[in-house]
Amino acid sequence: MNEFEYQRTVIGYHGCNEAVVSDVLLHGRKLRPSANDYDWLGSGIYFWEHGPHRAWDWARRRDKSGALRCNKPAVLGAILHLGTCFDLLDTANT
């Protein structure tokens, strides 16, 4: 097994606008990766593992300038299979 190949599944929560949740669940649209200067780990789609309240808080307080504010904050939950990841919480990687 590849040292970064995980046979692990987690529940993740994505803070976003209510319209995004509707587009994904009702219309089958895919989430778009973000590519912002403030993205912690580079471009991608960010989920909070086991953190629905944290995702809600992020959506609610996204940007104080209002430019990126969610008009109707919401949280999208997902089952994520970690096929290839670098998990710093796993002692095999530290």
Side-chain angles (χ1 to χ4, degrees), residues 14-48:
H14 180 74
C16 56
N17 204 328
E18 187 178 270
V20 172
V21 173
S22 177
D23 283 346
V24 170
L25 296 180
L26 299 177
H27 306 293
R29 295 198 177 102
K30 295 185 179 195
L31 293 174
R32 287 179 285 154
S34 63
N36 303 302
D37 291 339
Y38 58 80
D39 289 338
W40 295 354
L41 301 171
S43 65
I45 301 168
Y46 285 75
F47 288 85
W48 295 95

Side-chain angles (χ1 to χ4, degrees), residues 21-89:
V21 173
S22 177
D23 283 346
V24 170
L25 296 180
L26 299 177
H27 306 293
R29 295 198 177 102
K30 295 185 179 195
L31 293 174
R32 287 179 285 154
S34 63
N36 303 302
D37 291 339
Y38 58 80
D39 289 338
W40 295 354
L41 301 171
S43 65
I45 301 168
Y46 285 75
F47 288 85
W48 295 95
E49 183 179 354
H50 308 300
H53 293 104
R54 183 63 183 99
W56 170 260
D57 189 51
W58 186 89
R60 191 176 53 81
R61 297 185 308 139
R62 238 176 117 177
D63 182 7
K64 294 184 192 299
S65 72
L68 298 174
R69 187 174 305 280
C70 293
N71 295 333
K72 294 183 178 182
V75 173
L76 180 66
I79 298 170
L80 306 170
H81 174 71
L82 305 180
T84 303
C85 76
F86 183 58
D87 184 354
L88 292 173
L89 298 177

